[in-house]
Amino acid sequence: MKSRTLLSIVSAVDFVRETGKALSGSLGLAAIVFLTLAPARGQGQFVPNSKNISVCQKLGSQIQGSSGMQMYCFGRQSTGAALPAARLASGVINPASRSKSKGGKGGFIPNVNAANTAEDIAPSGVRAFGQSETSIAAAGSYVVEAWNDSTGFFAPCGSPNNKEELTGFAFSNNGGSTFTDLGGLPNLNCATSLTEGDPSVEVYQAGGKTYFYISSIFVPFDVPQNAISVTACQVIGIGSSATLSCGQPIIAGISSDCQDFSGFIQCSFLDKDFLSLDAAIGKLYVSYTEFGLTDADGAGQIELAMCDLTLDPANPTCSNGSGFSFSSPAAVPAYVVVSPNNANFCEQEGAYPAVDPASGDVYVAFEYNWSSNLNGFAPCAVTPTREVLVHIPESCLTSTSPSPCSPPFSQAAVNIVSTTATQVPGYNRFPSNDFPRIAVSDKAGTVSIVWNDARSNPLGDILMQSFNLGSLGAVQSAPVKLDNDGTSALHFLPAVRYADSNGLLSVSWYDRRLNPGSAITDVYAALGVDPRTTGTPSNSRVTDASSNWLAVSSDIVPNFGDYTDNYLVTTGTGKKASNIFYVGWSDGRLGVPQPFEAHH
């Protein structure tokens, strides 16, 4: 194993704050974005599918997409009952979000609402109903949680706290005990572009400073290309006086497929982004799905982008940066094509990355034949639905784009019994998903995936399958069940990201064991799971109050998101190492989806 040295880091530079000017630093594409997008939408009020992208016409029939893609294509989609005003208390922490108990039975602190419902009101006075699909990351006492925010459906460009953006976020400087809702991600060019949700959060510490990164779907309105953006944020100050300062959207990936339809140029749509960090060499990776424009390339191509944090962590240089222009709709190759469009036209979606910190290799997991397994037509109707794990060696992850490597890469797969056709009570989208989450454990020598699976329980169990690093040989002869209640209740949308100091994994998920056969939902977790185990571990309750999703009003589909998230923070080394496990989820106890957090 070769030595990996942390590269030197220069101090952060300020982001440009003036509308229409380029971002400072070396990211050429970001500069071009802000120079070429001319305001053309008046006050920048949200308009569903404002670019008339043909992919949106397929959404819900030929293909399925993420919550962020649903928001862009369809806008506001409401479900649920009206709420008593008393339940929408203002304040940084909603009083109703705290229980008198000491948290879940597993030792989690009382649950905290990271959002402030007072922030969910547009300038016109319209209240929005929906902050869901959460991601979370933490370092020391600093925590950031991000979510899809329906306030952007009703708030025009220039609204206070960037409420027009569909990605919201909050910051905690006291280890997640309280949060400050910061509204939407900053975007000086909101008249011509928006961050459109599907957030992922990652954190990086260098030079004595802490940086958070939030990825999102990013849509410019006046050019044909679509994108994935990364927003870089820096913690300013220390301790209880620390604040979070965020810059402008930086483009990490853009459309690689543009076509001219009788003089009308359209480009592919980038969906379902998620982040993972190689802290040893300062590389931030983002996986996503690219949906092309024709049947031949419209089933979803899994791709990977990279942002270099070493020159300036506050202004990353991303793989589809210098030299690429939104103004020229030529094909822009992806940094790495993880899995190309397939000849069977079976949909690939739900990609999640993980870095092996020892080798620098990246592993990407995704679901193959999601939603296309419902159509009843060959070949997808007779093709097994499976979780696919792809291994990308560090030698392919070069500092220049595109990578010198191309698929096929080494991979493994697990056939699953999909919950895609499951009608989940209280969940306002169909189909549901079985997307795999992924984590590497160097101490165990494994890369593991977890997902919900209906092979034994029609409403789903949480299963784990581990593989040996490098070779991808299966560790267990069959997937291991992680939920231990033995009921036929729903177990749904698991999350896992990092191993703790002992190489163990902690997995969290939605769970209805306390009220089987209902829409009353909690969050549970399996803590300290050996990736090589063959037995079901003990479980802990994370939530200190349940959510009845049949009594929740929402402007977003899906109302409690396509995913949950967690983050493992390790401090110290050896016997002095300690681990804090943060969980982020969309919670309905207030009668409206809100991004909650708890830690253990």
Side-chain angles (χ1 to χ4, degrees):
M1 188 178 301
K2 69 179 183 178
S3 172
R4 312 182 77 229
T5 305
L6 181 65
L7 302 180
S8 62
I9 306 296
V10 299
S11 61
V13 297
D14 291 332
F15 284 94
V16 177
R17 301 293 182 182
E18 206 174 318
T19 303
K21 289 189 177 181
L23 291 175
S24 61
S26 59
L27 187 59
L29 176 58
I32 294 169
V33 170
F34 295 114
L35 286 171
T36 60
L37 299 187
R41 297 195 312 148
Q43 295 300 311
Q45 183 71 42
F46 177 83
V47 177
N49 194 17
S50 58
K51 296 166 68 174
N52 294 315
I53 299 174
S54 61
V55 170
C56 290
Q57 299 167 12
K58 301 178 182 179
L59 186 60
S61 55
Q62 294 173 261
I63 63 169
Q64 295 291 336
S66 70
S67 178
M69 191 174 181
Q70 295 253 353
M71 289 196 299
Y72 169 75
C73 289
F74 303 138
R76 174 178 177 266
Q77 300 178 83
S78 296
T79 58
L83 304 178
R87 299 188 68 182
L88 296 172
S90 62
V92 173
I93 299 298
N94 287 296
S97 73
R98 290 191 177 275
S99 167
K100 293 181 180 179
S101 73
K102 294 183 179 180
K105 294 181 179 179
F108 286 84
I109 67 160
N111 302 167
V112 174
N113 185 0
N116 175 359
T117 55
E119 280 294 321
D120 305 339
I121 301 173
S124 64
V126 172
R127 174 174 288 284
F129 292 82
Q131 287 70 38
S132 67
E133 196 161 273
T134 61
S135 182
I136 194 167
S141 61
Y142 307 129
V143 187
V144 168
E145 188 165 4
W147 54 83
N148 292 343
D149 197 327
S150 68
T151 315
F153 293 146
F154 312 104
C157 177
S159 294
N161 285 345
N162 308 294
K163 290 183 181 184
E164 77 284 343
E165 303 300 312
L166 291 165
T167 302
F169 69 119
F171 174 65
S172 172
N173 59 18
N174 55 15
S177 295
T178 61
F179 283 81
T180 299
D181 187 336
L182 298 175
L185 290 177
N187 182 10
L188 290 173
N189 291 271
C190 56
T192 54
S193 63
L194 284 176
T195 52
E196 297 268 0
D198 274 16
S200 174
V201 187
E202 191 50 277
V203 63
Y204 178 56
Q205 292 183 303
K209 299 176 181 179
T210 300
Y211 304 89
F212 285 90
Y213 303 94
I214 305 172
S215 66
S216 289
I217 294 172
F218 183 78
V219 178
F221 305 119
D222 296 340
V223 292
Q225 291 98 329
N226 300 291
I228 300 295
S229 67
V230 171
T231 298
C233 306
Q234 182 179 341
V235 176
I236 305 298
I238 59 174
S240 60
S241 63
T243 59
L244 193 69
S245 177
C246 299
Q248 297 298 301
I250 298 170
I251 304 307
I254 61 176
S255 302
S256 69
D257 178 17
C258 295
Q259 298 186 30
D260 190 331
F261 296 91
S262 301
F264 180 64
I265 297 174
Q266 287 200 356
C267 296
S268 53
F269 192 89
L270 276 53
D271 191 34
K272 206 70 185 164
D273 52 284
F274 214 82
L275 297 172
S276 189
L277 176 72
D278 188 338
I281 58 172
K283 283 186 177 180
L284 182 70
Y285 297 100
V286 53
S287 60
Y288 57 92
T289 304
E290 181 171 16
F291 288 104
L293 303 172
T294 66
D295 289 342
D297 62 4
Q301 178 165 281
I302 306 300
E303 299 173 0
L304 188 71
M306 181 274 294
C307 294
D308 186 349
L309 310 180
T310 58
L311 294 178
D312 181 1
N315 190 16
T317 301
C318 297
S319 54
N320 281 353
S322 300
F324 299 124
S325 170
F326 269 137
S327 63
S328 176
V332 179
Y335 175 62
V336 177
V337 175
V338 177
S339 181
N341 285 285
N342 61 92
N344 289 339
F345 312 128
C346 299
E347 183 168 347
Q348 303 180 126
E349 177 67 301
Y352 292 89
V355 175
D356 176 4
S359 68
D361 295 352
V362 171
Y363 296 84
V364 179
F366 62 92
E367 183 169 357
Y368 175 79
N369 200 17
W370 175 62
S371 82
S372 49
N373 55 9
L374 296 173
N375 63 25
F377 299 101
C380 300
V382 294
T383 299
T385 304
R386 56 184 182 264
E387 314 292 18
V388 180
L389 176 63
V390 177
H391 173 212
I392 303 171
E394 185 193 29
S395 59
C396 293
L397 303 170
T398 56
S399 59
T400 57
S401 181
S403 163
C405 303
S406 59
F409 295 98
S410 174
Q411 65 176 246
V414 180
N415 289 350
I416 71 171
V417 178
S418 175
T419 63
T420 307
T422 304
Q423 293 279 2
V424 178
Y427 187 58
N428 68 349
R429 85 164 290 175
F430 180 89
S432 58
N433 76 71
D434 324 282
F435 300 155
R437 299 298 296 270
I438 182 172
V440 167
S441 172
D442 269 322
K443 284 199 172 182
T446 57
V447 53
S448 303
I449 58 173
V450 298
W451 69 99
N452 41 257
D453 191 292
R455 68 188 62 191
S456 300
N457 174 10
L459 290 180
D461 290 313
I462 306 304
L463 301 187
M464 178 184 75
Q465 178 69 59
S466 298
F467 302 87
N468 291 310
L469 287 171
S471 70
L472 296 186
V475 170
Q476 296 94 353
S477 59
V480 177
K481 181 171 170 282
L482 297 184
D483 53 285
N484 71 347
D485 53 291
T487 72
S488 59
L490 176 80
H491 310 89
F492 192 44
L493 301 184
V496 66
R497 286 181 75 174
Y498 289 104
D500 67 17
S501 57
N502 297 309
L504 305 178
L505 306 178
S506 290
V507 184
S508 54
W509 61 87
Y510 286 122
D511 195 302
R512 290 179 175 171
R513 69 181 68 186
L514 298 183
N515 296 276
S518 77
I520 300 174
T521 308
D522 284 275
V523 175
Y524 273 74
L527 304 175
V529 178
D530 183 347
R532 293 185 173 273
T533 189
T534 57
T536 298
S538 61
N539 292 178
S540 299
R541 186 183 179 194
V542 176
T543 43
D544 54 21
S546 303
S547 298
N548 182 1
W549 284 97
L550 288 176
V552 176
S553 290
S554 175
D555 294 320
I556 291 179
V557 172
N559 49 353
F560 52 103
D562 286 322
Y563 53 86
T564 61
D565 203 15
N566 60 47
Y567 204 88
L568 202 291
V569 178
T570 299
T571 58
T573 58
K575 294 181 179 180
K576 295 183 178 180
S578 62
N579 302 288
I580 302 177
F581 179 58
Y582 290 89
V583 182
W585 71 97
S586 184
D587 194 280
R589 71 186 71 181
L590 298 182
V592 58
Q594 292 286 282
F596 270 60
E597 173 270 340
H599 57 272
H600 180 277

